[in-house]
Amino acid sequence: MTWILWVKALHIAFMVAWFAGIFYLPRLFVYHAMNAKPAVDEQLCVMERRLLYFVTPFAILTLIFGVILIFAYGSAWFAASGWMHTKLVLVLLLYIYHGYCFKLLKDFKTGTNRRSHRFYRVFNELPVLALFAIIILAVVKPY
């Protein structure tokens, strides 16, 4: 069963890489929303696009290795793991968050962003809260 440890390690490693990106991208959105200079605006668009497209494969690999783990542990384990169902809801919300970042990126690129830097500051904190909850659920397994 050492292969499962490799799958788990890869799942965690890709998750960490993904989160590094979704922690930083909204911070770029904050700076972008505060910016009024066209040259800086253009540079921020390039940085945001590159970052989002760079971390998206990590999100996909996180999902793939997570699904492998669920299948490896089996349906009986999955059915008895109430904490896992809650974790998966939070993970689904993170994928929705990630997808919404593409819409926000497009809004900045097309000049149609209507959100303030305050919105993006709050938006930036959402994945942190989700990560804390997911880690607690996965480690403590409260139910």
Side-chain angles (χ1 to χ4, degrees), residues 49-137:
R49 180 182 49 80
R50 286 181 179 170
L51 179 59
L52 187 55
Y53 282 93
F54 179 76
V55 300
T56 296
F58 296 132
I60 294 166
L61 289 166
T62 299
L63 178 65
I64 289 168
F65 284 99
V67 169
I68 291 169
L69 285 171
I70 289 171
F71 280 103
Y73 281 110
S75 60
W77 169 82
F78 181 74
S81 301
W83 62 270
M84 177 58 80
H85 299 106
T86 304
K87 176 188 168 195
L88 290 177
V89 168
L90 291 171
V91 169
L92 175 64
L93 291 173
L94 283 168
Y95 280 98
I96 293 169
Y97 179 97
H98 186 102
Y100 187 61
C101 286
F102 280 98
K103 187 244 186 267
L104 296 173
L105 178 68
K106 181 181 176 192
D107 289 348
F108 278 115
K109 183 179 180 182
T110 59
T112 58
N113 174 57
R114 301 293 176 244
R115 307 238 184 233
S116 72
H117 66 92
R118 287 184 187 91
F119 168 82
Y120 291 109
R121 288 179 194 279
V122 173
F123 186 72
N124 189 41
E125 301 306 322
L126 298 176
V128 175
L129 298 173
L131 178 64
F132 286 166
I134 288 168
I135 289 173
I136 289 167
L137 287 165

Side-chain angles (χ1 to χ4, degrees), residues 28 32 35 37-51 105:
L28 289 175
H32 205 154
N35 177 58
K37 299 177 184 171
V40 174
D41 187 61
E42 186 177 321
Q43 181 62 38
L44 285 168
C45 277
V46 169
M47 292 171 64
E48 292 158 357
R49 180 182 49 80
R50 286 181 179 170
L51 179 59
L105 178 68

